[in-house]
Amino acid sequence: MRKVRKAVFPVAGLGTRFLPATKAIPKEMLTVVDRPVIQYVVDEARQAGIEHLIFVTGRNKGVIEDYFDIQVELQNTLTERNKKVEIELLDSLQPKAGTASFTRQQAPLGLGHAVWCARDLVGPEPFALLLPDMIMQAEEGCLKKMVELYEETGGNVISVEQCDPAEAHKYGIVGKGTEVGSGFKVDGMVEKPKNEEAPSNYFISGRYILQPEIFDILSTQEKGAGNEIQLTDGMLKLAQNQDFYAYPFTGRTFDCGSKEGFIQANVAFALWRPDIRGKVFDNLKELMATVEPQERRGSER
């Protein structure tokens, strides 16, 4: 079984849900507490043992590449001022030379096309795919647990979570087959089914381990929903010849592509931090005390 060494991060999206901020700042560089959203996703990949980070970028995303590079002026200034804590922090986050690669998705043709753009950098080996909008909070990262399941099963592994059955029509849903280790075998995938036709309430939640044969499928994949090349369509074809397994993630997931998810992530990760938890909690209590009376006055009118 080939080890999962590489991870792909599709970061070419325009971030229209966060305009006007994303006119100048890539949505992946918006900060949750004190680090960009993309840093949380990269941290998860590195915790899982990923050795090579592959970013599929677009125009106006150069700041992401700069972020993962060494900033000489900053490093020199911190050294001159003897800022040892800050230097150690930056060093711990810095990818080693030659372990981060960047390629362009030159047209917004969907997630499947973004994955296909990474084909030459990935090569003929399995790889992880992490959607950068989704950041996950757990003691052990979702991808780490997926890699452990992959080492038991081989094939392809996707992360899933449970939704309200009445909302199954919003998601890509998988069928639950035989339990295997910490997950189960997938016995079907349906994109946004009718609630009454959904095979389960397990939806695909933004983390994948895929075999390289997906690239050949995507190279001839016809456009699907939204006139884009859909990854789910490619996985359905791959599933005709290869097994898929699901890891049910039980931590908390935040969709940082939405305003409400982004705000929830900031609160949740701030409360997870021992250095600021107390002050943030006290401030939230004070804020809520002012909001509740306003809501009552509005309902009385």
Side-chain angles (χ1 to χ4, degrees):
M1 186 184 302
R2 294 169 294 181
K3 181 181 177 183
V4 181
R5 301 186 311 111
K6 299 179 180 180
V8 174
F9 305 87
V11 294
L14 297 176
T16 53
R17 288 186 289 177
F18 269 93
L19 288 170
T22 46
K23 283 179 63 179
I25 304 169
K27 62 178 180 175
E28 298 82 9
M29 292 301 295
L30 297 173
T31 55
V32 171
V33 188
D34 58 359
R35 58 185 62 191
V37 169
I38 188 62
Q39 183 67 64
Y40 289 89
V41 186
V42 166
D43 289 347
E44 181 184 335
R46 294 174 70 179
Q47 185 191 43
I50 295 298
E51 301 169 6
H52 193 157
L53 313 171
I54 299 169
F55 299 88
V56 181
T57 71
R59 285 179 289 279
N60 302 319
K61 297 291 183 118
V63 68
I64 298 176
E65 188 168 351
D66 291 339
Y67 173 78
F68 286 105
D69 199 358
I70 294 174
Q71 293 181 307
V72 177
E73 296 83 357
L74 175 61
Q75 204 80 13
N76 290 342
T77 300
L78 293 175
T79 301
E80 291 170 1
R81 296 178 181 177
N82 200 30
K83 298 286 187 178
K84 294 181 180 179
V85 173
E86 290 81 359
I87 291 172
E88 289 175 1
L89 172 63
L90 294 179
D91 286 347
S92 70
L93 301 177
Q94 180 69 47
K96 295 181 180 178
T99 63
S101 299
F102 298 82
T103 189
R104 286 284 185 100
Q105 182 186 16
Q106 294 166 322
L109 296 178
L111 177 59
H113 181 258
V115 172
W116 179 80
C117 288
R119 66 198 181 283
D120 289 335
L121 291 170
V122 172
E125 57 185 283
F127 64 99
L129 169 66
L130 298 91
L131 303 191
D133 285 349
M134 313 300 289
I135 61 174
M136 296 177 165
Q137 190 180 61
E139 291 296 336
E140 283 193 293
C142 179
L143 186 62
K144 182 176 186 293
K145 302 299 291 184
M146 290 173 64
V147 168
E148 291 173 2
L149 178 60
Y150 168 79
E151 290 172 349
E152 292 183 54
T153 62
N156 305 268
V157 180
I158 53 180
S159 68
V160 296
E161 297 179 44
Q162 289 182 288
C163 67
D164 183 334
E167 297 188 344
H169 64 280
K170 298 179 180 179
Y171 303 102
I173 301 291
V174 303
K176 184 178 180 181
T178 308
E179 292 189 1
V180 182
S182 59
F184 59 84
K185 189 172 182 180
V186 172
D187 62 9
M189 283 184 279
V190 185
E191 184 66 25
K192 297 183 178 180
K194 294 180 180 179
N195 291 336
E196 63 274 14
E197 297 176 0
S200 75
N201 66 331
Y202 283 99
F203 68 94
I204 302 170
S205 60
R207 301 290 186 268
Y208 312 77
I209 294 173
L210 298 171
Q211 295 295 328
E213 287 77 14
I214 192 69
F215 294 122
D216 289 335
I217 293 171
L218 293 173
S219 67
T220 57
Q221 181 72 47
E222 294 182 358
K223 293 180 180 179
N227 201 32
E228 295 180 340
I229 297 173
Q230 298 292 337
L231 179 64
T232 303
D233 293 341
M235 292 196 302
L236 285 169
K237 290 184 179 179
L238 185 61
Q240 294 173 7
N241 299 303
Q242 294 186 6
D243 289 333
F244 272 75
Y245 299 88
Y247 166 69
F249 178 65
T250 56
R252 300 186 67 185
T253 300
F254 303 95
D255 179 5
C256 289
S258 70
K259 297 178 180 70
E260 59 274 19
F262 178 72
I263 293 169
Q264 289 169 1
N266 268 281
V267 173
F269 278 91
L271 292 175
W272 227 31
R273 289 265 298 264
D275 57 329
I276 60 174
R277 179 188 302 135
K279 288 184 178 180
V280 170
F281 184 73
D282 290 342
N283 290 339
L284 285 172
K285 285 198 299 183
E286 292 177 10
L287 180 61
M288 291 306 298
T290 65
V291 170
E292 290 173 1
Q294 291 175 10
E295 290 182 341
R296 285 200 297 271
R297 288 196 296 270
S299 63
E300 290 169 0
R301 295 194 189 105

Coordinates of all heavy atoms in Angstrom, one line a residue, residues 140-212:
E140 N -7.6 15.1 17.8 CA -6.9 14.5 16.7 C -7.5 14.9 15.4 O -8.7 14.8 15.3 CB -6.9 13.0 16.9 CG -6.0 12.4 17.9 CD -5.8 10.9 17.8 OE1 -6.8 10.2 18.1 OE2 -4.7 10.4 17.4
G141 N -6.7 15.4 14.5 CA -7.3 15.9 13.3 C -8.0 14.9 12.5 O -7.7 13.7 12.5
C142 N -9.0 15.4 11.7 CA -9.8 14.5 10.9 C -9.0 13.7 9.9 O -9.1 12.5 9.7 CB -10.9 15.3 10.2 SG -11.9 14.4 9.1
L143 N -8.0 14.4 9.2 CA -7.2 13.7 8.2 C -6.3 12.6 8.9 O -6.1 11.6 8.3 CB -6.4 14.7 7.4 CG -5.6 14.1 6.2 CD1 -6.6 13.5 5.2 CD2 -4.7 15.1 5.6
K144 N -5.8 12.9 10.0 CA -5.0 11.9 10.7 C -5.8 10.6 10.9 O -5.3 9.5 10.7 CB -4.5 12.4 12.1 CG -3.6 11.5 12.9 CD -3.1 12.1 14.1 CE -2.1 11.3 14.9 NZ -2.7 10.0 15.4
K145 N -7.0 10.7 11.4 CA -7.9 9.5 11.6 C -8.2 8.9 10.2 O -8.3 7.6 10.1 CB -9.1 9.9 12.3 CG -8.9 10.5 13.7 CD -8.2 9.6 14.6 CE -9.0 8.5 15.1 NZ -8.3 7.6 16.1
M146 N -8.4 9.7 9.2 CA -8.6 9.1 7.9 C -7.4 8.3 7.3 O -7.6 7.3 6.7 CB -9.0 10.2 6.9 CG -10.3 10.9 7.1 SD -10.6 12.3 6.1 CE -10.6 11.6 4.4
V147 N -6.2 8.8 7.6 CA -5.0 8.1 7.2 C -4.9 6.8 7.9 O -4.6 5.7 7.3 CB -3.8 9.0 7.4 CG1 -2.5 8.1 7.2 CG2 -3.7 10.2 6.4
E148 N -5.3 6.8 9.2 CA -5.2 5.5 9.9 C -6.2 4.5 9.3 O -5.9 3.3 9.2 CB -5.6 5.8 11.4 CG -4.5 6.6 12.1 CD -4.9 7.0 13.5 OE1 -6.0 6.6 14.0 OE2 -4.1 7.6 14.2
L149 N -7.4 5.0 8.9 CA -8.4 4.1 8.3 C -7.9 3.6 6.9 O -8.0 2.4 6.6 CB -9.7 4.8 8.2 CG -10.9 4.0 7.5 CD1 -11.2 2.8 8.2 CD2 -12.1 4.9 7.3
Y150 N -7.3 4.5 6.2 CA -6.7 4.2 4.9 C -5.7 3.1 5.0 O -5.6 2.1 4.2 CB -6.1 5.4 4.2 CG -5.3 5.1 3.0 CD1 -5.9 4.8 1.8 CD2 -3.9 5.1 3.1 CE1 -5.1 4.5 0.7 CE2 -3.1 4.8 2.0 CZ -3.7 4.5 0.8 OH -3.0 4.2 -0.3
E151 N -4.9 3.1 6.1 CA -3.8 2.1 6.2 C -4.4 0.8 6.6 O -3.8 -0.3 6.4 CB -2.9 2.6 7.3 CG -2.0 3.8 6.9 CD -1.2 4.4 8.0 OE1 -1.4 4.1 9.2 OE2 -0.3 5.2 7.7
E152 N -5.7 0.7 7.0 CA -6.4 -0.5 7.3 C -7.0 -1.1 6.0 O -7.1 -2.3 5.8 CB -7.5 -0.4 8.3 CG -7.0 -0.1 9.7 CD -8.1 0.0 10.7 OE1 -9.0 -1.0 10.7 OE2 -8.3 1.0 11.4
T153 N -7.5 -0.1 5.2 CA -8.4 -0.5 4.1 C -7.9 -0.4 2.7 O -8.3 -1.1 1.8 CB -9.7 0.3 4.1 OG1 -9.4 1.7 3.9 CG2 -10.4 0.1 5.5
G154 N -7.0 0.6 2.5 CA -6.6 1.0 1.1 C -7.7 1.7 0.4 O -8.6 2.2 1.1
G155 N -7.7 1.7 -0.9 CA -8.8 2.3 -1.6 C -8.9 3.8 -1.5 O -7.8 4.5 -1.4
N156 N -10.1 4.3 -1.4 CA -10.3 5.8 -1.2 C -11.1 6.0 0.1 O -11.9 5.2 0.5 CB -11.1 6.3 -2.4 CG -10.5 6.0 -3.7 OD1 -9.8 6.8 -4.3 ND2 -10.8 4.8 -4.3
V157 N -10.8 7.1 0.8 CA -11.4 7.4 2.0 C -12.0 8.8 2.0 O -11.3 9.7 1.5 CB -10.4 7.2 3.2 CG1 -11.1 7.6 4.5 CG2 -9.9 5.8 3.3
I158 N -13.2 9.0 2.5 CA -13.8 10.3 2.6 C -14.3 10.5 4.0 O -14.7 9.6 4.7 CB -15.0 10.5 1.6 CG1 -16.0 9.4 1.7 CG2 -14.4 10.6 0.1 CD1 -17.2 9.5 0.8
S159 N -14.2 11.8 4.4 CA -14.8 12.1 5.7 C -16.3 12.4 5.6 O -16.7 13.0 4.6 CB -14.1 13.4 6.3 OG -14.4 14.5 5.6
V160 N -17.1 12.0 6.6 CA -18.5 12.2 6.5 C -19.0 12.7 7.9 O -18.3 12.4 8.9 CB -19.3 10.9 6.1 CG1 -19.0 10.5 4.7 CG2 -19.1 9.8 7.1
E161 N -20.1 13.4 7.9 CA -20.8 13.8 9.2 C -22.2 13.5 9.0 O -22.7 13.4 7.9 CB -20.5 15.2 9.5 CG -19.0 15.5 9.7 CD -18.8 17.0 10.0 OE1 -19.5 17.6 10.8 OE2 -17.8 17.6 9.5
Q162 N -23.0 13.5 10.1 CA -24.4 13.3 10.0 C -25.2 14.6 10.0 O -24.8 15.5 10.7 CB -24.9 12.4 11.2 CG -24.4 11.0 11.1 CD -24.9 10.1 12.3 OE1 -24.5 10.2 13.4 NE2 -25.9 9.2 12.0
C163 N -26.2 14.6 9.2 CA -27.0 15.8 9.1 C -28.5 15.4 9.5 O -28.8 14.2 9.6 CB -27.0 16.4 7.7 SG -27.8 15.3 6.4
D164 N -29.3 16.4 9.7 CA -30.7 16.2 9.9 C -31.2 15.5 8.6 O -31.0 16.0 7.5 CB -31.4 17.5 10.2 CG -32.9 17.4 10.4 OD1 -33.5 16.4 10.0 OD2 -33.5 18.3 11.1
P165 N -31.9 14.4 8.7 CA -32.4 13.7 7.5 C -33.3 14.6 6.6 O -33.3 14.5 5.4 CB -33.3 12.6 8.0 CG -32.6 12.2 9.4 CD -32.2 13.6 9.9
A166 N -33.9 15.6 7.2 CA -34.7 16.6 6.5 C -33.9 17.5 5.6 O -34.4 18.2 4.8 CB -35.6 17.4 7.4
E167 N -32.6 17.5 5.8 CA -31.7 18.4 5.1 C -30.7 17.6 4.1 O -29.8 18.2 3.6 CB -30.9 19.3 6.0 CG -31.7 20.2 6.9 CD -30.9 21.2 7.7 OE1 -29.7 21.0 7.8 OE2 -31.5 22.2 8.1
A168 N -31.0 16.3 4.0 CA -30.1 15.5 3.1 C -30.1 16.0 1.7 O -29.1 15.8 1.0 CB -30.6 14.1 3.1
H169 N -31.1 16.7 1.2 CA -31.2 17.2 -0.1 C -30.1 18.3 -0.4 O -29.9 18.7 -1.6 CB -32.6 17.8 -0.5 CG -32.9 18.9 0.4 ND1 -33.4 18.8 1.6 CD2 -32.9 20.3 0.1 CE1 -33.7 20.0 2.1 NE2 -33.4 20.9 1.2
K170 N -29.5 18.8 0.6 CA -28.5 19.9 0.5 C -27.1 19.3 0.2 O -26.2 20.1 -0.1 CB -28.5 20.7 1.7 CG -29.8 21.5 2.1 CD -29.6 22.3 3.3 CE -30.9 23.0 3.7 NZ -30.7 23.8 5.0
Y171 N -26.9 18.0 0.4 CA -25.5 17.5 0.5 C -25.3 16.3 -0.5 O -26.2 15.8 -1.1 CB -25.2 17.0 1.9 CG -25.4 18.0 3.0 CD1 -26.5 18.0 3.8 CD2 -24.4 19.0 3.2 CE1 -26.7 19.0 4.8 CE2 -24.6 19.9 4.2 CZ -25.7 19.9 5.0 OH -25.9 20.8 6.0
G172 N -24.0 16.0 -0.6 CA -23.6 14.7 -1.2 C -23.7 13.7 -0.1 O -23.0 13.7 0.9
I173 N -24.6 12.7 -0.3 CA -24.9 11.7 0.7 C -24.3 10.3 0.3 O -24.3 9.9 -0.9 CB -26.4 11.5 0.9 CG1 -27.0 12.9 1.3 CG2 -26.7 10.4 1.9 CD1 -26.7 13.4 2.7
V174 N -23.8 9.6 1.3 CA -23.2 8.2 1.0 C -24.1 7.2 1.7 O -24.8 7.4 2.7 CB -21.8 8.1 1.5 CG1 -20.9 9.2 0.9 CG2 -21.7 8.2 3.1
G175 N -24.1 6.0 1.1 CA -24.8 4.9 1.7 C -23.8 4.2 2.7 O -22.6 4.0 2.4
K176 N -24.4 3.7 3.8 CA -23.5 3.1 4.8 C -23.5 1.5 4.7 O -24.6 0.9 4.7 CB -24.0 3.4 6.2 CG -23.1 2.8 7.4 CD -23.6 3.3 8.7 CE -22.7 2.7 9.8 NZ -23.2 3.0 11.2
G177 N -22.3 1.0 4.4 CA -22.2 -0.4 4.3 C -21.6 -1.0 5.5 O -21.8 -0.6 6.6
T178 N -20.8 -2.1 5.3 CA -20.2 -2.8 6.4 C -19.2 -1.9 7.2 O -18.4 -1.2 6.6 CB -19.4 -4.0 5.9 OG1 -20.2 -4.8 5.0 CG2 -18.9 -4.9 7.0
E179 N -19.2 -2.0 8.5 CA -18.3 -1.3 9.4 C -16.9 -1.9 9.3 O -16.7 -3.1 9.3 CB -18.8 -1.3 10.8 CG -20.1 -0.5 11.1 CD -20.4 -0.3 12.5 OE1 -19.6 -0.8 13.4 OE2 -21.5 0.3 12.8
V180 N -15.9 -1.0 9.2 CA -14.5 -1.4 9.0 C -13.7 -0.4 9.9 O -13.7 0.8 9.7 CB -14.0 -1.3 7.6 CG1 -12.6 -1.7 7.5 CG2 -14.9 -2.1 6.6
G181 N -13.0 -1.0 10.9 CA -12.2 -0.2 11.8 C -13.0 1.0 12.4 O -14.1 0.8 13.0
S182 N -12.5 2.2 12.2 CA -13.2 3.4 12.7 C -14.2 4.0 11.7 O -14.7 5.1 12.0 CB -12.1 4.5 13.1 OG -11.4 4.8 11.9
G183 N -14.5 3.3 10.7 CA -15.4 3.8 9.6 C -16.3 2.7 9.1 O -16.5 1.7 9.7
F184 N -16.7 2.9 7.8 CA -17.5 1.9 7.2 C -17.3 2.0 5.7 O -16.8 3.0 5.1 CB -19.0 2.1 7.5 CG -19.6 3.5 7.1 CD1 -20.0 3.8 5.8 CD2 -19.6 4.5 8.1 CE1 -20.6 5.0 5.5 CE2 -20.2 5.7 7.7 CZ -20.6 6.0 6.5
K185 N -17.7 0.9 5.0 CA -17.6 0.9 3.5 C -18.7 1.6 2.9 O -19.9 1.5 3.4 CB -17.6 -0.6 3.0 CG -17.2 -0.7 1.6 CD -17.1 -2.2 1.1 CE -16.7 -2.3 -0.3 NZ -16.5 -3.7 -0.8
V186 N -18.4 2.4 1.9 CA -19.4 3.2 1.2 C -20.1 2.3 0.2 O -19.4 1.7 -0.7 CB -18.8 4.5 0.6 CG1 -19.9 5.2 -0.3 CG2 -18.3 5.4 1.7
D187 N -21.4 2.2 0.2 CA -22.1 1.4 -0.8 C -22.9 2.2 -1.8 O -23.8 1.7 -2.4 CB -22.9 0.3 -0.2 CG -24.0 0.8 0.7 OD1 -24.3 2.0 0.7 OD2 -24.7 -0.1 1.4
G188 N -22.6 3.5 -1.8 CA -23.3 4.3 -2.8 C -23.1 5.8 -2.5 O -22.8 6.2 -1.3
M189 N -23.1 6.6 -3.5 CA -23.0 8.1 -3.3 C -24.0 8.8 -4.2 O -24.2 8.4 -5.4 CB -21.6 8.6 -3.7 CG -20.5 8.3 -2.7 SD -18.9 9.0 -3.3 CE -18.3 7.8 -4.4
V190 N -24.7 9.7 -3.6 CA -25.8 10.5 -4.4 C -25.6 11.9 -4.1 O -25.5 12.3 -2.9 CB -27.2 10.0 -3.9 CG1 -28.2 10.7 -4.8 CG2 -27.4 8.5 -4.0
E191 N -25.6 12.7 -5.1 CA -25.5 14.2 -4.9 C -26.8 14.8 -4.8 O -27.7 14.7 -5.7 CB -24.7 14.8 -6.2 CG -24.5 16.3 -6.0 CD -23.5 16.6 -4.9 OE1 -22.7 15.8 -4.6 OE2 -23.5 17.8 -4.5
K192 N -27.1 15.4 -3.6 CA -28.3 16.2 -3.3 C -29.6 15.4 -3.7 O -30.4 15.8 -4.5 CB -28.3 17.5 -4.0 CG -27.2 18.4 -3.5 CD -27.2 19.8 -4.2 CE -26.1 20.7 -3.7 NZ -26.1 22.0 -4.3
P193 N -29.8 14.2 -3.0 CA -30.9 13.4 -3.3 C -32.2 14.0 -2.7 O -32.1 14.9 -1.8 CB -30.6 12.1 -2.6 CG -29.8 12.5 -1.4 CD -28.9 13.6 -1.9
K194 N -33.3 13.6 -3.1 CA -34.6 13.9 -2.4 C -34.5 13.3 -1.0 O -33.9 12.2 -0.9 CB -35.8 13.4 -3.2 CG -36.0 14.0 -4.5 CD -37.2 13.4 -5.2 CE -37.5 14.1 -6.5 NZ -38.7 13.5 -7.3
N195 N -35.0 13.9 0.0 CA -34.9 13.5 1.4 C -35.4 12.0 1.5 O -34.7 11.2 2.2 CB -35.7 14.4 2.3 CG -35.0 15.7 2.5 OD1 -33.8 15.9 2.2 ND2 -35.8 16.7 2.8
E196 N -36.5 11.7 0.9 CA -37.0 10.4 1.0 C -36.3 9.3 0.2 O -36.4 8.1 0.5 CB -38.5 10.3 0.5 CG -38.7 10.7 -0.9 CD -38.9 12.2 -1.2 OE1 -38.5 13.0 -0.3 OE2 -39.3 12.5 -2.3
E197 N -35.3 9.7 -0.6 CA -34.5 8.8 -1.4 C -33.1 8.7 -0.9 O -32.3 7.9 -1.5 CB -34.6 9.2 -2.9 CG -36.0 9.1 -3.5 CD -36.0 9.6 -5.0 OE1 -34.9 10.0 -5.5 OE2 -37.1 9.6 -5.6
A198 N -32.7 9.5 0.1 CA -31.3 9.5 0.6 C -31.0 8.1 1.2 O -31.8 7.6 2.0 CB -31.2 10.6 1.6
P199 N -29.9 7.5 0.9 CA -29.5 6.2 1.4 C -29.1 6.3 2.9 O -29.0 5.2 3.5 CB -28.3 5.8 0.5 CG -27.7 7.1 0.0 CD -28.9 8.0 -0.1
S200 N -28.8 7.5 3.4 CA -28.5 7.6 4.8 C -28.5 9.1 5.1 O -29.0 9.9 4.3 CB -27.1 7.1 5.1 OG -26.1 8.0 4.6
N201 N -28.1 9.5 6.3 CA -27.9 11.0 6.6 C -26.5 11.3 6.8 O -26.1 12.3 7.4 CB -28.7 11.4 7.8 CG -28.2 10.7 9.1 OD1 -27.6 9.6 9.1 ND2 -28.4 11.4 10.2
Y202 N -25.6 10.5 6.2 CA -24.1 10.8 6.2 C -23.8 11.6 5.0 O -23.9 11.2 3.9 CB -23.3 9.5 6.3 CG -23.3 8.9 7.6 CD1 -24.1 7.8 7.9 CD2 -22.4 9.3 8.6 CE1 -24.0 7.1 9.1 CE2 -22.3 8.7 9.8 CZ -23.2 7.6 10.1 OH -23.1 7.0 11.3
F203 N -23.2 12.8 5.2 CA -22.9 13.7 4.1 C -21.4 13.9 4.0 O -20.7 13.8 5.0 CB -23.6 15.0 4.2 CG -23.1 15.9 5.3 CD1 -22.1 16.9 5.1 CD2 -23.7 15.8 6.5 CE1 -21.7 17.7 6.1 CE2 -23.3 16.7 7.6 CZ -22.3 17.6 7.4
I204 N -20.8 14.1 2.8 CA -19.4 14.2 2.6 C -19.0 15.6 3.1 O -19.6 16.6 2.7 CB -19.1 14.1 1.1 CG1 -19.5 12.7 0.6 CG2 -17.6 14.3 0.8 CD1 -19.5 12.5 -0.9
S205 N -17.9 15.7 3.9 CA -17.7 16.9 4.6 C -16.3 17.6 4.4 O -15.7 18.2 5.3 CB -17.8 16.7 6.1 OG -17.0 15.7 6.6
G206 N -15.7 17.4 3.2 CA -14.6 18.3 2.8 C -13.2 17.7 3.0 O -12.2 18.4 2.9
R207 N -13.0 16.4 3.3 CA -11.7 15.8 3.4 C -11.8 14.5 2.6 O -12.7 13.7 2.7 CB -11.3 15.5 4.8 CG -11.3 16.7 5.8 CD -10.1 17.6 5.4 NE -9.9 18.7 6.4 CZ -10.5 19.9 6.2 NH1 -11.2 20.2 5.2 NH2 -10.3 20.8 7.1
Y208 N -10.7 14.2 1.8 CA -10.7 13.1 0.9 C -9.3 12.5 0.9 O -8.3 13.2 1.0 CB -11.0 13.4 -0.5 CG -12.3 14.3 -0.7 CD1 -12.2 15.7 -0.4 CD2 -13.5 13.8 -1.2 CE1 -13.4 16.5 -0.6 CE2 -14.6 14.6 -1.4 CZ -14.5 15.9 -1.1 OH -15.6 16.7 -1.3
I209 N -9.2 11.2 0.7 CA -8.0 10.5 0.3 C -8.3 9.7 -1.0 O -9.2 8.9 -1.0 CB -7.4 9.5 1.4 CG1 -7.0 10.3 2.6 CG2 -6.3 8.7 0.8 CD1 -6.6 9.4 3.8
L210 N -7.7 10.1 -2.1 CA -8.1 9.6 -3.4 C -6.9 8.9 -4.1 O -5.7 9.3 -3.9 CB -8.6 10.7 -4.3 CG -9.9 11.4 -3.7 CD1 -10.2 12.7 -4.6 CD2 -11.1 10.5 -3.7
Q211 N -7.2 7.9 -4.9 CA -6.2 7.2 -5.7 C -5.9 8.0 -7.0 O -6.8 8.8 -7.5 CB -6.6 5.8 -6.0 CG -6.8 4.9 -4.8 CD -5.4 4.7 -4.1 OE1 -4.4 4.6 -4.8 NE2 -5.5 4.5 -2.8
P212 N -4.8 7.9 -7.5 CA -4.4 8.8 -8.7 C -5.2 8.5 -10.0 O -5.2 9.3 -10.9 CB -2.9 8.5 -8.9 CG -2.7 7.1 -8.3 CD -3.6 7.1 -7.1

